[in-house]
Amino acid sequence: MKDLSLHILDIVQNSISAGATEIKISILENQGKDQYLIEITDNGRGINADDLGRVTDPFFTSRTTRKVGMGLPLLKQNAERTGGNMSISSTPGKGTSINAIFGLSNIDRPSMGDIGGTLAMLISSNPIIRFIYSHTTAAGSFKLDTNEVIEMLDGMSIASAPVYNFLKEMINENLMEIQFS
Amino acid sequence: MSQVKSLADLRKLKEDLQGKMSLREKSNHPESMVQVKVAMATCGIASGAKQVMDFFINEFDKRNIHAVVTQTGCMGYCYAEPTIEVTIPGQEPIVFGYVDTKKADEIIEKYIKNGELVEGIIPVKYQSIETNKENK
């Protein structure tokens, strides 16, 4: 994956496949600890204990269309390459939480990339899922909850090109304000 | 310096669009609209499916084509990513492989607008060697 936003797009697809109705994506840029934390939590069907140990094995997947599953192994590899790690916790029936820690200033850490586009795309393709995004840096924080967006739209479809472009620009502009990296 | 957008601006955008939208709402039956599904699993994303989807969303709007663009999982054609599935109302879905923005433009202009088939179709009857063995 070229940047972190593509990893997020990829991992969130797992939550969508697991039937989640609420997906939280939280980013914390911790300069004190020199860590870049990405946490994705969903309320999907969860992963059973047997499979939980195998999800970072590239030759394990729940799909039947192919025999490899690279999403989590790639994220893990990228995190470890920057001196970080990745952990997963899950309760069947309750949901799953993915925690990836990257080295903030590590030269191998990919940049965030077009997270605005990623979120806008997820929101407009999955209008029934509530997405809660938060991003905190030393300069401040930004939060987006699709429930607030739906309230503002007051009946207008969230899945339209003008709304998609608006969200993309709004998210990216606000993140620039807090100097995200 | 221009103002950073906030959710309040979204309400303004909504009011601007209201007139234009109401027209669209009337024809808002998914089965009467062109449907494009972009395969967005790890393989698709790594090959650039995000740019392709962005292209479709914006081009349909610009070219005034009523279409629904959504994401789907991996269809098993990882070698041919990014892949998309296009359903024209009343017709069988067709899967296209190796879709970049140039190919996407061709698909909109030729297939979606005129029903002309373009190169890059993945046959529905395609079976991997293994599934063939199982059938024998």
Side-chain angles (χ1 to χ4, degrees):
Chain A
M1 297 290 159
K2 281 188 188 140
D3 55 44
L4 297 177
S5 74
L6 292 181
H7 271 301
I8 294 172
L9 179 60
D10 189 16
I11 303 306
V12 169
Q13 300 296 337
N14 293 344
S15 300
I16 297 170
S17 312
T21 54
E22 193 178 297
I23 301 170
K24 281 188 196 139
I25 304 160
S26 311
I27 317 291
L28 174 64
E29 297 183 27
N30 189 334
Q31 282 179 338
K33 285 188 181 166
D34 194 30
Q35 283 181 341
Y36 196 105
L37 268 81
I38 301 176
E39 190 181 38
I40 301 172
T41 308
D42 70 49
N43 63 352
R45 74 175 70 91
I47 306 168
N48 66 45
D50 277 356
D51 289 345
L52 201 57
R54 293 193 287 162
V55 288
T56 53
D57 174 353
F59 297 102
F60 174 76
T61 179
S62 58
R63 284 178 195 283
T64 50
T65 52
R66 55 167 149 80
K67 291 181 168 177
V68 291
M70 309 285 275
L72 287 166
L74 284 174
L75 176 63
K76 186 173 184 233
Q77 184 191 37
N78 251 345
E80 285 174 354
R81 208 163 59 168
T82 67
N85 59 65
M86 188 194 78
S87 59
I88 306 165
S89 59
S90 185
T91 315
K94 287 264 168 64
T96 303
S97 182
I98 310 280
N99 233 301
I101 303 174
F102 286 77
L104 177 64
S105 61
N106 192 295
I107 192 138
D108 285 326
R109 178 179 65 81
S111 66
M112 179 46 105
D114 176 30
I115 184 71
T118 292
L119 291 171
M121 201 167 273
L122 286 167
I123 292 168
S124 71
S125 320
N126 305 283
I128 50 164
I129 299 176
R130 178 181 183 190
F131 289 95
I132 302 167
Y133 178 78
S134 70
H135 194 132
T136 307
T137 68
S141 66
F142 168 71
K143 203 175 171 203
L144 181 84
D145 181 339
T146 45
N147 272 9
E148 288 168 20
V149 178
I150 289 167
E151 201 182 305
M152 278 293 172
L153 287 171
D154 190 25
M156 193 172 99
S157 166
I158 202 166
S160 69
V163 175
Y164 163 79
N165 285 315
F166 176 88
L167 288 174
K168 180 165 130 181
E169 282 165 25
M170 185 191 81
I171 296 163
N172 284 338
E173 280 177 12
N174 277 282
L175 290 179
M176 294 273 240
E177 285 291 295
I178 60 164
Q179 295 153 18
F180 79 120
S181 61
Chain B
M1 210 184 101
S2 65
Q3 191 75 34
V4 174
K5 288 190 183 68
S6 72
L7 276 181
D9 297 318
L10 187 58
R11 183 150 277 173
K12 232 184 288 161
L13 175 87
K14 186 208 162 210
E15 277 148 21
D16 291 347
L17 287 170
Q18 207 100 61
K20 203 176 146 198
M21 276 298 168
S22 61
L23 260 174
R24 182 180 289 193
E25 298 301 312
K26 280 173 197 152
S27 60
N28 209 354
H29 301 290
E31 63 279 4
S32 68
M33 287 165 91
V34 175
Q35 286 182 60
V36 174
K37 287 182 189 163
V38 183
M40 276 231 183
T42 313
C43 44
I45 295 169
S47 325
K50 184 164 167 260
Q51 283 91 321
V52 173
M53 185 164 170
D54 185 273
F55 183 85
F56 274 112
I57 294 174
N58 281 308
E59 292 307 308
F60 282 142
D61 192 52
K62 277 187 209 152
R63 301 179 198 187
N64 220 355
I65 299 169
H66 290 179
V68 198
V69 186
T70 51
Q71 301 171 338
T72 178
C74 172
M75 294 185 262
Y77 310 119
C78 307
Y79 64 93
E81 294 291 348
T83 56
I84 62 160
E85 185 191 274
V86 182
T87 315
I88 290 179
Q91 290 185 31
E92 287 292 310
I94 289 189
V95 177
F96 295 91
Y98 302 109
V99 182
D100 53 11
T101 50
K102 207 174 137 213
K103 191 82 199 169
D105 178 63
E106 197 186 341
I107 292 170
I108 297 178
E109 287 304 315
K110 291 194 177 157
Y111 181 60
I112 295 177
K113 281 193 179 167
N114 298 325
E116 251 174 78
L117 294 178
V118 298
E119 244 179 270
I121 294 173
I122 297 174
V124 213
K125 295 278 186 272
Y126 173 82
Q127 284 182 322
S128 68
I129 295 166
E130 271 173 47
T131 50
N132 254 334
K133 260 187 219 156
E134 279 163 24
N135 290 343
K136 271 174 194 166

